[in-house]
Amino acid sequence: MVNLDKIFNSVGDRSLFKNKQVLQANYSPETIPHRDKEIEHIASILAPSLLGQKTSNLFVYGLTGTGKTISVRHVANELTKRSEDTDSLRIEYINCKLKKVADTEYRIFAELINKLGGEVPKTGLPTDEVYKKFIDMIEKNKEKLFIIILDEIDQAVKKISDDFLYNLMRLNSELGKTQISIIGISNDVKFLEMIDPRVKSSLSEEEIVFPPYNALQLQDILRKRAEEAFKSGVVSDGVIAKCAAYAAREHGDARRALDLLRVAGEIAERISNSKIEIKHIDEANDKIERDKILNIIENAPKQFQLVLFSIFDLTDKFKEGIFTGDVFDFYYDLCKKTNNEALTQRRVSDILAEFDMIGLISARVISKGRQGRMREIKLAIPENLVTKSRDILISSLDLN
DNA sequence: GTCAATTCACATGAAAGAGACCACGGTCTAGTG
DNA sequence: CTAGACCGTGGTCTCTTTCATGTGAATTGACGA
């Protein structure tokens, strides 16, 4: 009989965390270090909204984990607080990347309507119906100004095409008393080049770029958060610096640094260490990477798994480079053998491209002259995960 | 030997289809007074 | 008479297929030295 009491009772004393929440991704701190200039800039652009004047559209750009979202939301909150009594302003935040929530034109409008207090079915209505309803809702609201924050706006445009943005911009001319401003947040530099010039010029009336944090700034951020998150004396010397260094290498991604610190804490806690040591950071780094990859593989659709399995098998067979054709042939046979419907080569090609995007494989389009043009595919999964990944595939595909 | 045309094996794009999901309005059915 | 069950239609959304077009360099073949 296991003595569970002992485990459960001691969990409180043993915990290294004071408040783990602080290290979670969605936590928004009171103060945002090293972003004063940006926050001021945003605030000055949005300030006229307090007087009920339409503000310029704003485009915020910066790599992931540079504090874009958090800064914009911070300013938004302050504005909302200050305008509460006048009812003249309304700000809504939408993350366009959230699958099944706001990644299509329909769903973005539906989400906006929901936030305004309206009801709209998840599907089944014509898009322009939703569009009309949205206009109604806005007109019915008493606020004179409506600011929409579109986070990860590049994702939306990539999926939907940019005339959705064009519509949004044009809305103002159809609206009587209410005016709409848009704040777009993106981490893709090339995004602005992709879109229609008309949309581009009106979206980026104002532009703010968030530079990556450097290692020192990261340390500062981490230290502040660590103070709140951990019990005192838990974090060993150098841990913060190491975390910061890791993240700085990854283009100054603060989110990544915080993740690292949190996972390191969890690891130390699990092996009942009373302190987080530097080696735990390394372990955390591995674990994060590992979990991410295995998670992707495990949850990938069946066809993706079949393709991936083909790649696994082929890399074993011939080390000297494998190409699209090889993968497809193998995959096709595999499907036949296992009674799965085989996809077309066109589709498999896209799947390979997606793997490349996620980083499971690294593919390079090469031309072998008369022998054609194809992707040269290499597995990009760390050596020590290959067997494990393979096992996952085998069990989830029910092979052998 | 040199140069442009050819050619391969895909990559990449665009459009359209299949099937799951859903709302809405109309029709049918059974239960009620 | 009416509430609820049950269609049919028409919409979105994801994953695919079909059809079309694009593409980089090895190969070919004509050409001139």
Side-chain angles (χ1 to χ4, degrees):
Chain A
M1 189 65 184
V2 189
N3 189 351
L4 292 177
D5 283 348
K6 201 168 135 202
I7 298 178
F8 290 151
N9 290 340
S10 66
V11 73
D13 327 326
R14 242 185 21 215
S15 174
L16 305 179
F17 291 100
K18 192 160 59 180
N19 180 9
K20 198 191 278 189
Q21 212 47 87
V22 176
L23 296 178
Q24 232 95 49
N26 49 5
Y27 176 79
S28 65
E30 313 262 306
T31 58
I32 306 168
H34 305 292
R35 283 297 176 242
D36 299 344
K37 216 173 63 198
E38 286 79 9
I39 290 178
E40 269 172 36
H41 196 164
I42 297 173
S44 68
I45 290 168
L46 298 186
S49 63
L50 285 175
L51 304 174
Q53 296 165 12
K54 179 185 179 314
T55 62
S56 302
N57 293 328
L58 169 63
F59 181 71
V60 178
Y61 160 76
L63 295 170
T64 44
T66 47
K68 305 176 298 285
T69 304
I70 220 172
S71 301
V72 170
R73 295 196 75 161
H74 177 72
V75 175
N77 283 340
E78 292 294 313
L79 277 175
T80 316
K81 241 187 265 168
R82 255 154 253 233
S83 67
E84 245 161 22
D85 35 334
T86 60
D87 267 358
S88 63
L89 174 64
R90 176 144 195 154
I91 305 180
E92 289 300 346
Y93 169 89
I94 292 210
N95 187 335
C96 305
K97 206 169 108 186
L98 288 183
K99 290 231 156 163
K100 311 274 179 194
V101 178
D103 59 348
T104 70
E105 180 167 17
Y106 181 102
R107 300 215 261 244
I108 288 175
F109 279 118
E111 188 64 16
L112 281 170
I113 292 172
N114 277 333
K115 298 211 166 175
L116 289 172
E119 289 250 342
V120 142
K122 285 200 290 284
T123 167
L125 255 49
T127 302
D128 43 328
E129 196 90 359
V130 183
Y131 188 75
K132 260 186 239 139
K133 174 137 191 192
F134 173 64
I135 294 178
D136 276 2
M137 290 297 297
I138 290 194
E139 290 286 333
K140 238 192 313 182
N141 262 281
K142 40 196 184 307
E143 286 93 0
K144 286 208 290 284
L145 257 174
F146 193 38
I147 298 180
I148 304 173
I149 303 171
L150 294 173
D151 204 349
E152 316 259 4
I153 195 173
D154 47 330
Q155 299 290 325
V157 170
K158 214 174 284 169
K159 279 205 72 162
I160 312 170
S161 96
D162 54 3
D163 39 291
F164 137 74
L165 275 182
Y166 182 66
N167 288 339
L168 212 49
M169 304 287 173
R170 235 190 20 179
L171 259 181
N172 274 332
S173 56
E174 282 175 46
L175 289 170
K177 39 180 195 166
T178 312
Q179 290 289 293
I180 296 182
S181 300
I182 293 173
I183 301 178
I185 304 179
S186 157
N187 47 35
D188 184 0
V189 215
K190 285 167 293 178
F191 168 67
L192 269 186
E193 295 160 20
M194 282 164 31
I195 60 180
D196 190 306
R198 287 170 308 179
V199 179
K200 178 179 170 182
S201 65
S202 62
L203 174 63
S204 56
E205 285 171 339
E206 296 281 355
E207 253 181 270
I208 298 183
V209 177
F210 276 62
Y213 295 111
N214 62 35
L216 285 177
Q217 293 170 329
L218 282 171
Q219 282 193 35
D220 202 29
I221 295 169
L222 285 172
R223 203 164 286 129
K224 284 216 174 82
R225 295 257 194 136
E227 260 169 42
E228 288 181 59
F230 295 108
K231 294 177 180 164
S232 62
V234 159
V235 184
S236 315
D237 292 346
V239 164
I240 301 272
K242 176 115 187 178
C243 265
Y246 258 124
R249 217 165 47 198
E250 308 240 334
H251 56 252
D253 185 342
R255 195 176 326 168
R256 170 100 187 158
L258 291 167
D259 272 350
L260 216 49
L261 192 56
R262 175 175 51 83
V263 174
E266 285 167 1
I267 289 176
E269 189 173 290
R270 193 162 313 137
I271 59 174
S272 340
N273 243 17
S274 58
K275 278 187 151 220
I276 303 173
E277 290 159 33
I278 291 185
K279 63 174 186 208
H280 297 142
I281 304 283
D282 290 318
E283 281 175 45
N285 199 35
D286 285 351
K287 181 170 160 40
I288 289 174
E289 187 67 7
R290 179 189 169 88
D291 286 356
K292 200 176 75 191
I293 291 176
L294 294 184
N295 197 14
I296 290 173
I297 293 179
E298 191 161 9
N299 297 321
K302 190 151 121 203
Q303 296 291 356
F304 283 58
Q305 292 184 335
L306 283 163
V307 175
L308 192 58
F309 183 80
S310 307
I311 298 174
F312 272 124
D313 235 57
L314 287 170
T315 6
D316 278 0
K317 286 214 179 74
F318 14 66
K319 289 277 180 221
E320 292 318 306
I322 56 178
F323 306 97
T324 309
D326 304 331
V327 175
F328 180 71
D329 290 345
F330 190 99
Y331 157 83
Y332 194 83
D333 284 351
L334 185 63
C335 286
K336 283 272 126 38
K337 267 186 239 156
T338 57
N339 280 330
N340 282 299
E341 294 266 321
L343 299 177
T344 22
Q345 177 163 295
R346 176 71 187 79
R347 181 63 185 139
V348 172
S349 176
D350 277 350
I351 292 177
L352 288 174
E354 282 185 50
F355 280 155
D356 191 23
M357 279 269 294
I358 312 172
L360 289 186
I361 64 175
S362 71
R364 192 162 59 98
V365 178
I366 57 163
S367 177
K368 304 218 283 180
R370 228 34 208 293
Q371 273 74 59
R373 198 163 171 274
M374 68 268 287
R375 282 197 179 85
E376 185 186 40
I377 295 160
K378 268 187 278 176
L379 218 44
I381 298 176
E383 206 68 44
N384 55 344
L385 286 186
V386 171
T387 328
K388 176 80 179 160
S389 312
R390 210 201 177 94
D391 290 348
I392 291 178
L393 287 181
I394 289 176
S395 74
S396 117
L397 288 171
D398 225 1
L399 298 168
N400 305 350

